[in-house]
Amino acid sequence: MSTHPHVVHEPSLPWTEVTQGPRVSYRRKQLGAAAKGQKLGCSLMELPPGKHAFPLHYHLANEEAYYVLSGSGLLRLGDASLPVSAGDYVALPAGASCAHQLVNDGTETLRYLAFSTMVEPDVMVYPDSKKLCVTAGSAPGGDKAARTLYTVLPLAAEVDYWSGEER
């Protein structure tokens, strides 16, 4: 096993487990961060049957990709819903046409690699819940302590450009 800081052995990394409400449940190992990656993120993801990791969303700066290792799922991609299974690679360029969400609709754990460019600032838009998230200082999935801006707002939250600028 390597002792170089840019080489990690996946089995030695801890899982981060997330559960939010009845539909969100996943385990994640942030391989890219552990290997001190800077411009490319990679996470090993596991979704139990009937669960998903993230809401339907798209990025305005970052491109993502999935590579399915085992199991099967349903990929919401733009206006389509597509089955995916082991061996499938999915490119998710930035923009509304590639809004995406991966759901485990199978009977076994869905394991996949999730890749992301680590561009910041970034804006993520969530079409189902009609909200957006703005991050700066650290890309989504990056070091939360390094963030200089992180806010989630309803899409309808809008003020006039000059609002509050009376001085």
Side-chain angles (χ1 to χ4, degrees):
M1 196 156 40
S2 176
T3 58
H4 194 283
H6 293 296
V7 178
V8 297
H9 185 63
E10 177 270 316
S12 68
L13 297 177
W15 287 102
T16 299
E17 298 194 26
V18 174
T19 300
Q20 178 66 44
R23 295 181 300 198
V24 174
S25 181
Y26 65 90
R27 295 188 341 150
R28 176 185 198 178
K29 291 186 180 188
Q30 290 185 277
L31 306 174
K36 303 194 181 341
Q38 295 178 9
K39 301 288 184 186
L40 182 64
C42 179
S43 290
L44 174 61
M45 303 288 295
E46 288 190 349
L47 298 180
K51 305 296 183 182
H52 63 79
F54 303 101
L56 179 72
H57 70 284
Y58 61 90
H59 295 259
L60 295 180
N62 281 292
E63 182 167 342
E64 294 182 302
Y66 298 150
Y67 180 73
V68 181
L69 299 167
S70 63
S72 62
L74 181 70
L75 174 68
R76 294 177 64 195
L77 181 58
D79 294 330
S81 292
L82 311 164
V84 293
S85 59
D88 288 342
Y89 177 86
V90 180
L92 303 164
S97 66
C98 285
H100 55 278
Q101 179 185 44
L102 188 55
V103 179
N104 183 346
D105 66 348
T107 59
E108 64 182 80
T109 298
L110 173 58
R111 287 176 52 96
Y112 63 100
L113 293 174
F115 300 92
S116 177
T117 55
M118 300 298 284
V119 176
E120 62 90 13
D122 194 10
V123 175
M124 288 79 59
V125 178
Y126 300 87
D128 288 345
S129 56
K130 299 191 179 4
K131 65 186 178 201
L132 62 85
C133 176
V134 181
T135 64
S138 176
D143 181 5
K144 290 180 182 178
R147 287 185 181 156
T148 56
L149 175 65
Y150 176 84
T151 190
V152 180
L153 303 166
L155 282 173
E158 184 177 341
V159 296
D160 180 88
Y161 177 79
W162 295 107
S163 177
E165 300 296 337
E166 289 77 23
R167 297 172 71 163

XYZ file of all heavy atoms in Angstrom, residues 5 61 84 106 118 121 131 145 167:
63
model
N 0.673 10.914 -0.472
C -0.573 11.595 -0.120
C -1.610 11.645 -1.249
O -2.779 11.898 -0.985
C -0.128 12.999 0.276
C 1.218 13.181 -0.305
C 1.829 11.807 -0.402
N -21.972 25.543 -13.218
C -20.522 25.594 -13.442
C -19.901 24.204 -13.547
O -19.012 23.992 -14.366
C -19.838 26.385 -12.331
N -30.437 2.411 -15.689
C -28.984 2.285 -15.729
C -28.593 1.053 -14.927
O -29.289 0.659 -13.984
C -28.253 3.532 -15.185
C -28.464 4.727 -16.095
C -28.677 3.863 -13.766
N -34.007 -0.803 -7.828
C -33.742 -2.239 -7.877
C -33.913 -2.890 -6.519
O -34.434 -2.286 -5.573
N -14.408 20.432 -9.976
C -14.473 21.145 -8.695
C -14.373 22.660 -8.932
O -13.537 23.352 -8.354
C -13.369 20.650 -7.763
C -13.455 19.159 -7.441
S -14.955 18.692 -6.574
C -14.579 19.281 -4.939
N -16.982 29.667 -8.134
C -18.289 29.449 -7.532
C -19.184 28.595 -8.434
O -18.932 28.463 -9.630
C -18.846 30.856 -7.373
C -18.174 31.649 -8.445
C -16.814 31.041 -8.621
N -35.790 25.696 -5.987
C -34.832 26.444 -5.173
C -33.482 26.427 -5.874
O -33.281 25.720 -6.866
C -34.727 25.861 -3.766
C -34.173 24.456 -3.712
C -34.230 23.886 -2.311
C -33.711 22.460 -2.350
N -34.159 21.679 -1.221
N -15.328 23.892 5.328
C -14.713 24.920 6.169
C -14.115 26.050 5.324
O -13.952 27.162 5.802
C -13.637 24.305 7.056
N -27.853 54.388 -0.108
C -26.728 55.234 0.322
C -25.785 55.545 -0.786
O -25.482 54.919 -1.669
C -25.970 54.544 1.443
C -26.861 54.375 2.642
C -26.221 53.536 3.663
N -25.100 54.282 4.280
C -24.567 53.939 5.417
N -24.995 52.888 6.058
N -23.591 54.628 5.937
